[in-house]
Each structure stands twice: as structure tokens, then as C-alpha cells.
Amino acid sequence: MERARERSAGQREQRPAGSYADLSGESPETELELLVHGVGGTTPEKMLGDPRTVRVTGDDTAAVFRRAEDAEGAPDGSGTGGEAGAERGRERRSGPVREAYVWCNLTSGDGSRALWLLLLPFMVVNLAHWMRPAAPGRPRVVRLYGLLVRLCALTLTVLLVAAACEVALDLVAWQCAGVQACVRRHSWLDFLSPAAGGWWSAPGRRLALAATLPVTLTGLLWYLSHRTWRAYESHRPLSSTPVATDDERGSADEERGPAGGGAVPRSGGPEPGGDDAGPVGHGSALARPGFWYGRRLVARLRAAHTAVGLLTVAAAVTTPAARFDHRPGGPAVLDVLGLGLAAALLLCGAAVVVVVCRRGRSEWRLDQRLDRHLVRRLPLAALALLLLGLVYAGWSRPGWQSTGRLPGDPSFGALMLAQGLLVVALATVAGYLHRRRPDPRAGMRGLGGPAVALLACALGGVISGGVAQRVADWLDGTRALLTGPPVLLTWQASVIPPLLAVLLLLVAGLALHTARLARTERDRVRHEHPGEPEDPARTRAIAHARAMATLTDRAPLVVAVLTATTLVLGSVALAGALATRKTPDGAAHRTHHLVQAVAETSQALGSWLVGVGFLLFVTWGRRAYKDASARRTIGILWDVGTFWPRAAHPFAPPCYAERAVPDLTWRMATWTRRTGGRLVLSGHSQGSVLAAAAAWQLPPSVRGRVALLTYGSPLERLYGRWFPAHFGPPALAALHHDIDCWRNLYRRTDPIGGPVRVPDDTSPEVDHEPLRDPLAYGRTPDHPLPAPILGHSDYQTDPAFTRERARLLTRLHPELPGQRPELPE
């Protein structure tokens, strides 16, 4: 942080970097509104309603802006005009000084963000980690939940690298390069053909050369994770507690995110009694000092996932050679080397699993240790084994030829079975946690996390199968020259048509339900505007907007149906592939003609749908790389999906909140301590979630000068239902207790925002009554033109916004202290 600059009687006092400055005398600025935008981002000019804005702090990625007039007299040293400039600014505005925190470039910046589309399964499984039910007093079960999610995430990395090995090693180097007819169609493979007799024509050397692709992919994932780790996880949050040491961990060490039950100590340290000490059901882990500081855990997981990716490539290269050497009469020396290398791979793989199973760090304090030896040595050990495997596979073996599929085809089935067992175990644990403290508002009765984990595995399987199917069609469009990809991938593609059929039926049912609800809403709209001329079209539009807004509350049903269908069809695909070892049309060859027709149609249509989906996926990513508007759309997806830290998968898109939350807390703490003024933290949509997270991180001395104004907020409607351990009723009640001045605005036509439902008889209610939308039913003197139906947007244009903001400022302590306290240095 920059050195604090203070102006008092024409003199400047400078304090050491990182400390809080103390103003002497009356400050010209005592009221501030800090605006935080929602998903998709916006411009500071639009947020502040002024074409002339200046950046007062921050960088090109995330920054705080003010109107040019207000910035001239900023008392924190960011302006240039002194008290005279502040006086001119007050003449041009009414109400508090307004600042806009713009964070949209954290998720939708340059064109390279479009590449994050490839990391979609990793992002989804990372969400599953945070969707567990609240479980006070059950720290071991909570750790087991996190462990199962991390293992599931590890299988996704193996699946991605295995898919790359399937394309490069099996389809290209093993099958196509070994068939002369396929080589003639693709002349760039001539130097690999056995007919050419070149040095690279040996099967093991072809595999060693083709391993360049999956190794490069693994290295790219490591690089992206490492680069974003430096840019996001390395921002230190605001905290007055010292850095944790090895001796201070004790019983407070936890995995990333377990929490949810214990009361949050104001000092930031662990309470006596262990992980979940304190009143049952009160508080949130988001208030812990180290929650938004994941440097250590992400570094450990990155090392483990990088190592497992390299080990997957090494296994794919060495397994065919080891099987050839292990035949009767094979070379004894190479056979022993192959067995030794296989044992080393298993040992290193076991070490990776141990690293993933271990708890990463403590959230009670800022844990800055990085486990440097582990982070460096584990990937290097895997890389050394890979190099040995490449040398071993490339050794000369007379008589070795590549026929059929690459040995190791059952690995995809074993991987899918492991993922299914992990998801079932995760569902068992989640169900147990939910029964310990049932939450009627929790999505899918606490099973949202296992459902999302299953969808992440299914998405990874579809992407892997789609890539393999498209490459196989490109290499051999007639499917007459090559054996093709593994049978399981074809079965997975074949179950996509029935899955889409179920989804179409579900969409049709939701459409009928919405239509009936819209007809019911028409009567309510008429009763809400008595005495006004009836306008049927206007009534239908308002009723339709309200009915459509309720679809958000049907999301648990959609996810439940999608998950159940995916689980059933995935089990059928796995059983069919393992039982028949044939494609669906081959397995139905001697059955009834109707069964044959269904199998052939499903296989052909599924392959086509996978191909089209993969092409659309690539096209969307390419368009997003060039088109800013498309990149903005992808940014909206990441705004929701990457709010949470990378606790399960290090290759997921980075968590922008680990930069945004420290930004907001530092800004609020420094401003209030320098000016002694009152501050309204104003958050819209996803910005309200960031605002709540930042309010939880504020020191108690700062909370008394900060009010929270949320509008269009998904805090309870989405986050409270899907992330009950961190935004459930006890957590929101604790936030209301910590930030007493809190008001929430919402509309019935808003599909995202809703009430926060915090019951409290000792202070004013948090939720405002639903705002009118539209502001006027027909034409009035105040609205001579038809008022628009705003839904989720333009909350600040409603008169209630200005009124509630003024009331929040009034409720804050009106007196300014003569001496401001400082954080301990």
C-alpha cells in the first residue's frame, strides 16, 4: 500500500507503508457511497452518472473511480484540489460522495480469457466444494467432504490428459501412423510410417514423439495456474493478526473452506476448543482472516495436479512397451525395467494422492507458507519418470507392431467408475451433514454439491469424447481404416439424445407452469392498480415478467432431474461398454430390429451432437477471443462461477474475489480511519455478494461506520440455497448482527435478486417491501411515457434507493470522533 498522505494546516505527515493515517481537525468529506457493480460489468461513467471520471486508486484490472469534481478534494490524498475543490464538488452534487469500484476486468478482460472455456469442468467441480451443507460440530465429516471433492477433481485432470493421450498417442501415432492407407490420406505422417522404415517408425518412438501434445497441455495448465496464482491469490487481505507459524496451527488447521458452524472470533484467531467451537449455527467462514488468501493451498494442488498429468502421459507411453516386453520369451532386462518403472509410477501416484488428501492450510490466520520443497520436487519427480518412460518406450524392439487400439483402453472405464463411486460417497456424506441441521431452503436437500460434481464429471467426459470422436472422423471419415476411439466414449455419446429428450420434456413442463402462473399474476396486477384504465397488453407484460422471474426458484428441480438422468444413463453406458466391449450398434446387432434401430439412431445422432457441440464450443471460444461483446458474455459466466477460491482444482479459472474483497476492505478501512466519516457500501447483484464478503472482513472498529445497501441481490435466493454452509440463515443473521445498518431492495420481476429473509426483532428489518415495477402502470404526470419494466436493472433510478441510502447514513453514528484509532502496526 502507498504511504498515507495527510493535509493539516498546510503540512504533510507521512507514516510507514501499510499503516493507517490519522487526520487532525475537521475533514471536508464525511459521507461516502462505495458502489460495486454486478455481473457483466459496466463503466465508471455509467455507475457514477457522469462522463468525466478519474481513477483515484487501483490499476487497469480493478480500480476505484470518482467523478472529476469529487476527486479534486479527496481527503485521502487521491485528489488535487484541496478544500476548495471539495467545496466546488459539493455545489455540483447532493448526498454523499460517490465512488465506483470497477472489477469487471478480473473476469472479462483481454482475449486470453476466452481460453478459460476449456477449464469449464474444473470450475464446476470447484463449486461443488463450497456447496456442502452447514455442519456445526462435525469437522471430521466436513474434511471428508472436502477430501472427496478434491479426489473427484483429481480424476478430472487425469481424464483431460488421458483424452489428449487418446488423440495424440492412440488415434494419430498408434492407429493412423501404423496403417499405410491412413498415412496416404495424411502425408504429414509419412516419417512415422513403418513402410518408410525411418528411425521414428518404431511404435515406441512414435508414442514418445506424440507425447509432446499432452505434455504441452499439462505445461500450459501449470503455466496458466501459476500466472493467475501470482495475480489473484497473492493479494494479502486486510488483517490485524500476525502470520501463522507452524506452532500456532494446532487444532485450528482446516482444509480450505470447512467452516460454517462456529462463531467467528473478532480477533481472527481460533477460539478455544478447536475447529467449530462457539455457539452452534452462528457465523460464516467468510469472516476468517485467511479465507481469501489461498496461496499455499493452490500451490500444493497445482504441484499435485501437474504431477498427475505428467504421470498419466508416462503411463500411456510405457504401458504398451511394458506389455510387449512382458510376453513369453521377451527381453528380460527390458521386462525388469518396465516393472520397475511401473512401480515407480504407482509410488509417485500414491504420493500425489497423499498430497491431495492432506489439509492445506489454516484460514484463521494469513498463512504465507508455500511448502516450496513439495511444490518443486513433486512435479520434477513426475517429469523425471516421464523422461525415463520416453527413453524406455523408444528403445529398439524388433517385431513390435501397432495393431488395434492402444493398450490401456479399460482405463477410461476405470476412471468413470471411480468418479461414480466418489460422487455416491460424496452424496452420502452430504446427506448426513444435511440431516444434522436440516435447512428447508437448501437446494436439493443439501445434495447440490454431489449433483454439481457429477455434472462436472459428465461435462469432462463429453468434452473428452467429443474431441476423440472428431479427430477419429477427421483421420478416417469412413471408419473403415481405423479401430477408432475407446468403446466407452462411443457409448457416452450415444446417451446424449435420450438426455436431451428428458430435458426437452422438463422445459415443456416448466413452460406450462410459467404460463399458468402468468395467468394468475394478471389478477394480482389488476388488483394492485385500482381505478386505473385497464390495459390488457400492459397487464400481460407485467405478469409475464413476474412469472419468468420465478424460474430461478425452479433451478433445484432442473439440476435434480439432470443429475438423476445423467447418473442413470452414465451407468447404462458404463455397463454396456464393459459387458459387450462393442459399440451400441454392434452390441445390438443380433437383437430385435426395433432395438437395432434405436441403437443405431442414438449412436449416429449422439456422435453428430457431440461433434456439433464441440465445434460450437471452439467457435464460441474463437469468437470470444476476437469479439468484446462475446467475451463479456463469457465474463458473466465466470462472474458467477469464479467467486469462490480454488479449493478443489488448481486449474480452474482464478477466484476474482481474492483480489476484489481485499480491494474493498482496504478502501473502506483506510477511508473511514482517515476521515472518521460514514460509508454506505452499495452492491448490485453479484456486487452485493462481494460487498457482504468485504463487510465480513472489516475490523470491528470499522464496521460501526459502514452501512450495507444491497439491491437485486442473490445472497439468499441463490447463494443461501446453493451454498448453505457460508450464506445460509445463520451466516446471514451473523452478518446482520455485525453490520447492523443493512437494507435490501428487490423486485418481484427480478429473476436474480430477492429478499434475504433475516429475522431480527431487535433492529430494523433488512428487507424493504418489494419495489414497484414498473413505477407506473399507465401514463401519469410524473411518467408521461410508459414506464419500463426494469427487472434486474436500474435500481438506483427508483426513489426508494435514495431514500433508503439517506436512512442508512442517518442510522450510522452521527458524531465524528476527535481521535481515530489505528490498527496495530
Side-chain angles (χ1 to χ4, degrees), residues 393-720:
W395 206 264
S396 179
R397 291 176 175 83
W400 188 20
Q401 297 179 354
S402 57
T403 57
R405 294 190 182 93
L406 185 70
D409 183 26
S411 59
F412 283 96
L415 196 59
M416 185 177 179
L417 179 61
Q419 290 178 339
L421 294 177
L422 286 172
V423 170
V424 171
L426 189 65
T428 303
V429 173
Y432 171 79
L433 293 176
H434 179 73
R435 289 192 299 271
R436 296 297 303 177
R437 191 177 70 180
D439 182 0
R441 291 285 296 173
M444 298 181 61
R445 298 182 181 272
L447 296 180
V452 168
L454 178 63
L455 295 180
C457 296
L459 185 60
V462 169
I463 293 177
S464 302
V467 172
Q469 294 276 1
R470 290 312 96 208
V471 173
D473 289 342
W474 171 60
L475 293 173
D476 180 19
T478 62
R479 294 294 179 90
L481 302 176
L482 306 181
T483 309
V487 172
L488 178 59
L489 298 183
T490 305
W491 276 88
Q492 288 178 336
S494 300
V495 300
I496 293 179
L499 176 62
L500 292 180
V502 172
L503 289 180
L504 288 176
L505 292 176
L506 179 60
V507 169
L510 291 177
L512 291 176
H513 173 78
T514 305
R516 289 195 298 267
L517 184 59
R519 286 193 294 269
T520 304
E521 286 291 335
R522 293 176 194 172
D523 296 333
R524 297 180 183 176
V525 173
R526 296 189 188 100
H527 292 152
E528 290 173 2
H529 301 90
E532 298 191 42
E534 173 68 18
D535 186 348
R538 183 70 162 173
T539 300
R540 285 195 300 270
I542 298 174
H544 178 73
R546 292 183 180 180
M548 293 296 292
T550 63
L551 287 177
T552 303
D553 301 320
R554 311 297 293 177
L557 173 63
V558 176
V559 175
V561 172
L562 181 60
T563 302
T565 307
T566 301
L567 181 61
V568 172
L569 293 178
S571 301
V572 171
L574 179 60
L578 295 179
T580 65
R581 299 186 181 275
K582 298 179 181 179
T583 59
D585 59 352
H589 182 63
R590 297 182 181 276
T591 60
H592 191 271
H593 65 277
L594 182 59
V595 177
Q596 294 182 27
V598 171
E600 293 174 358
T601 303
S602 182
Q603 179 176 330
L605 185 58
S607 178
W608 182 81
L609 289 174
V610 167
V612 171
F614 178 71
L615 291 177
L616 290 176
F617 191 81
V618 174
T619 303
W620 192 20
R622 183 175 180 273
R623 179 170 174 260
Y625 186 82
K626 296 182 177 181
D627 187 359
S629 62
R631 197 157 60 239
R632 178 187 177 94
T633 303
I634 295 177
I636 294 176
L637 177 63
W638 301 138
D639 288 353
V640 177
T642 61
F643 168 77
W644 296 100
R646 294 186 279 196
H649 207 300
F651 296 156
C655 167
Y656 63 87
E658 292 193 297
R659 162 71 190 271
V661 171
D663 284 356
L664 290 171
T665 53
W666 275 100
R667 182 57 181 170
M668 288 187 289
T670 53
W671 185 89
T672 54
R673 290 185 181 276
R674 284 171 173 170
T675 66
R678 297 166 289 179
L679 185 149
V680 173
L681 182 58
S682 177
H684 172 241
S685 187
Q686 186 70 13
S688 68
V689 184
L690 286 174
W696 257 313
Q697 290 282 310
L698 288 174
S701 60
V702 178
R703 292 194 190 110
R705 298 193 172 277
V706 175
L708 185 60
L709 179 59
T710 56
Y711 40 99
S713 173
L715 274 172
E716 195 280 335
R717 192 176 189 182
L718 294 179
Y719 281 80

